[in-house]
Amino acid sequence: MSDHTKTNLITLTRHVFQDQVENHKEASGDLTLLLTAIQLGCKFVASNVRKASLISMTGLANTSNIQGEEQKKLDVIANEIFVNALRSSNKVAIMVSEEDEEAIIVEDKNRGKYCVVFDPLDGSSNIDCGVSIGTIFGIYKVKEGSTGQISDVLRPGSEMVAAGYCTYGSCSTLVLTTGQGVNGYTLDTEIGEFILTHPDIQIPTRGKIYAVNEGNSKYWDEPCKKYFHSLKFPEDPKKSPYSARYVGSMVADVHRTMLYGGIFCYPADSKSKNGKLRILYECFPMAFLVEQAGGRASTGLKRMLDVQPQTIHSRSPIFLGSKSDVEDIEALYQAEQKA
């Protein structure tokens, strides 16, 4: 019988708990409780983003983060929200945030068995003009015998147990994977719950959209120059050029790529030789999500999730999205290596 009145809503908490009962009967429920803490943080940040202009939360905080980037007031607030939510969950041993120079080791009385890496407010330079921004997170389980050390997070992304992001824009959508596909949940602000709206997200094998900061094109290497030229001026006259869409907020650009297909790129170049995006809390979570949705994520030379980060704020180039689109740029890098 169809539920015309929408009384049988599948919330994020219900969906994750149902998955635990059906597919992970041996699980303790700790990950489910940790995800509850993360969604609370997302709700709190979403509320602050919506009313930022009304409560003087826009503008700079007159501080800089470890990356040397000027922090917005909401950057600082969002970071505090997530640190407090995660610590009080009693499920986390170590946290790594874009906004903090050092990893946060949780005190013994609140320590759990998970490590959370996160960018509390990605795209925050767009706050003041109302463009979509978001939170990105990834979760590791601490190594056997460890109580929570830096080595527990300096691991390849393939060892993550869950990852997700939450967009804050015309609506707040939390997209999540626990390693068994990808689902999207939209925040119903009237009841205060994330509701399943995008079950089993699958990225098309090939798309028609590319997202890259073309302002950096003068610094690109040859494979990138060839690739983006081929998208705009295809050799086959019957083939339409790709459309360019670039928000400048990774969460917004990747969310569109997840739903519509295509490719999101932030390559290394002569100005940023190691790329600009951070491996642990930007590249790895997004790569995990994209692969779980049937897409592909690469540095251009190797699988993104196989990269070994050297520090908690290490950077990397990244190309992610539709499988065939990412394979095209990889082929150009392989050809250059053979030349």
Side-chain angles (χ1 to χ4, degrees):
M1 183 176 176
S2 61
D3 179 27
H4 298 296
T5 55
K6 298 280 193 275
T7 56
N8 190 26
L9 300 173
I10 300 177
T11 65
L12 171 56
T13 304
R14 170 183 166 183
H15 204 211
V16 172
F17 183 69
Q18 198 172 345
D19 176 61
Q20 178 192 322
V21 170
E22 293 175 0
N23 302 313
H24 307 281
K25 290 185 173 63
E26 75 293 345
S28 63
D30 284 357
L31 181 59
T32 302
L33 292 172
L34 174 55
L35 291 171
T36 300
I38 289 173
Q39 67 165 314
L40 171 63
C42 292
K43 291 174 189 176
F44 198 171
V45 173
S47 174
N48 278 281
V49 170
R50 280 198 307 274
K51 59 190 180 187
S53 295
L54 301 174
I55 57 175
S56 302
M57 204 79 78
T58 56
L60 297 173
N62 296 318
T63 56
S64 297
N65 63 16
I66 179 58
Q67 325 298 337
E69 300 162 341
E70 289 188 314
Q71 289 177 303
K72 299 277 189 169
K73 293 174 187 174
L74 268 177
D75 275 323
V76 178
I77 297 291
N79 192 50
E80 290 176 1
I81 286 171
F82 277 101
V83 169
N84 290 332
L86 292 169
R87 179 182 276 124
S88 62
S89 73
N90 294 331
K91 303 304 174 190
V92 180
I94 183 169
M95 293 177 260
V96 173
S97 168
E98 183 196 21
E99 304 301 330
D100 294 310
E101 182 174 0
E102 304 291 338
I104 299 170
I105 308 294
V106 177
E107 55 277 9
D108 289 344
K109 65 176 182 176
N110 293 327
R111 190 170 296 173
K113 60 183 181 182
Y114 289 99
C115 314
V116 182
V117 294
F118 60 97
D119 182 348
L121 207 58
D122 173 70
S124 55
S125 61
N126 289 315
I127 290 170
D128 297 358
C129 60
V131 170
S132 290
I133 52 181
T135 296
I136 309 171
F137 63 90
I139 302 173
Y140 291 97
K141 201 168 184 178
V142 296
K143 294 178 181 176
E144 194 73 38
S146 174
T147 55
Q149 303 168 17
I150 294 293
S151 58
D152 288 311
V153 293
L154 292 180
R155 296 150 68 184
S158 55
E159 296 182 28
M160 280 187 171
V161 296
Y165 62 80
C166 186
T167 66
Y168 312 118
S170 58
C171 61
S172 295
T173 302
L174 197 158
V175 177
L176 174 70
T177 181
T178 55
Q180 308 218 340
V182 181
N183 294 290
Y185 310 82
T186 301
L187 180 62
D188 184 329
T189 55
E190 292 188 1
I191 63 172
E193 291 284 356
F194 281 101
I195 308 299
L196 180 65
T197 52
H198 297 75
D200 192 23
I201 295 172
Q202 291 289 311
I203 299 177
T205 306
R206 184 175 289 282
K208 298 177 180 178
I209 299 171
Y210 73 96
V212 69
N213 184 353
E214 299 222 41
N216 290 328
S217 58
K218 69 176 282 188
Y219 307 113
W220 289 343
D221 55 27
E222 279 306 307
C224 276
K225 288 177 180 175
K226 287 179 183 175
Y227 178 68
F228 293 112
H229 184 271
S230 73
L231 297 184
K232 291 180 279 190
F233 304 97
E235 290 183 5
D236 184 348
K238 295 179 181 177
K239 203 173 175 186
S240 299
Y242 275 45
S243 296
R245 298 283 186 274
Y246 187 69
V247 177
S249 162
M250 188 187 191
V251 167
D253 283 313
V254 171
H255 187 54
R256 183 194 56 249
T257 304
M258 291 279 286
L259 298 180
Y260 302 159
I263 187 168
F264 167 83
C265 316
Y266 212 116
D269 55 38
S270 60
K271 188 174 64 170
S272 304
K273 296 192 183 329
N274 295 318
K276 190 176 178 188
L277 298 181
R278 274 61 58 128
I279 295 173
L280 271 184
Y281 42 80
E282 291 176 323
C283 297
F284 277 173
M286 293 306 202
F288 188 12
L289 284 158
V290 165
E291 285 199 4
Q292 284 294 311
R296 191 173 179 87
S298 172
T299 66
L301 297 171
K302 67 187 295 186
R303 180 188 181 214
M304 185 71 242
L305 291 178
D306 289 339
V307 171
Q308 173 63 53
Q310 299 304 308
T311 71
I312 61 174
H313 297 297
S314 291
R315 301 172 189 254
S316 172
I318 188 166
F319 304 89
L320 60 78
S322 295
K323 190 170 183 286
S324 296
D325 288 314
V326 177
E327 286 174 344
D328 288 346
I329 182 73
E330 286 180 314
L332 288 169
Y333 274 104
Q334 289 167 6
E336 185 189 52
Q337 280 195 315
K338 292 175 182 175

